[in-house]
Amino acid sequence: QVQLVESGGGLVQAGGSLRLSCAASGRTFSSYAMGWFRQAPGKEREFVATISWSGGSTYYADSVKGRFTISRDNAKNTVYLQMNSLKPEDTALYYCASSKKGGTTWSPYLYDYWGQGTQVTVSS
């Protein structure tokens, strides 16, 4: 059974930083791309960032490009999201997801396993 467990969320002031982690188990972690998505209250879930199976390719939503960095440690079965220069509009429940494929993808339909989410709240 595949499990994804996010951690690292919290309350931070605008301009601050947080590092999210997602620990995976139950499948060969290093074979699949991973992604981060977020959902704010009253809004649809949106793509944030994705990283290929090897970590050699990444892709970001325009809204976070230059502020967020996705990375992975295949030895630890963990994917990270470093979030800098946080803004109030980054407030959301952040989910990690495991893709059905090895390459990067922004489409949530190509992810077959999801974590429960970790809350990020940015105060102004």
Side-chain angles (χ1 to χ4, degrees), residues 10-73:
L11 174 64
V12 64
Q13 289 189 331
S17 298
L18 282 174
R19 188 194 197 202
L20 306 184
S21 299
C22 173
S25 62
R27 78 187 319 184
T28 306
F29 178 78
S30 59
S31 295
Y32 301 94
M34 297 293 293
W36 287 96
F37 293 77
R38 67 186 182 186
Q39 187 167 18
K43 295 189 176 181
E44 293 188 353
R45 189 174 299 189
E46 66 172 354
F47 166 77
V48 175
T50 179
I51 187 166
S52 63
W53 66 275
S54 66
S57 178
T58 57
Y59 183 70
Y60 298 91
D62 287 344
S63 58
V64 306
K65 201 173 296 182
R67 299 188 298 122
F68 291 12
T69 302
I70 188 171
S71 62
R72 67 190 296 161
D73 185 338

Side-chain angles (χ1 to χ4, degrees), residues 79-92:
V79 62
Y80 305 97
L81 186 68
Q82 177 67 44
M83 306 186 295
N84 298 329
S85 303
L86 283 161
K87 305 175 181 180
E89 51 264 44
D90 294 318
T91 295

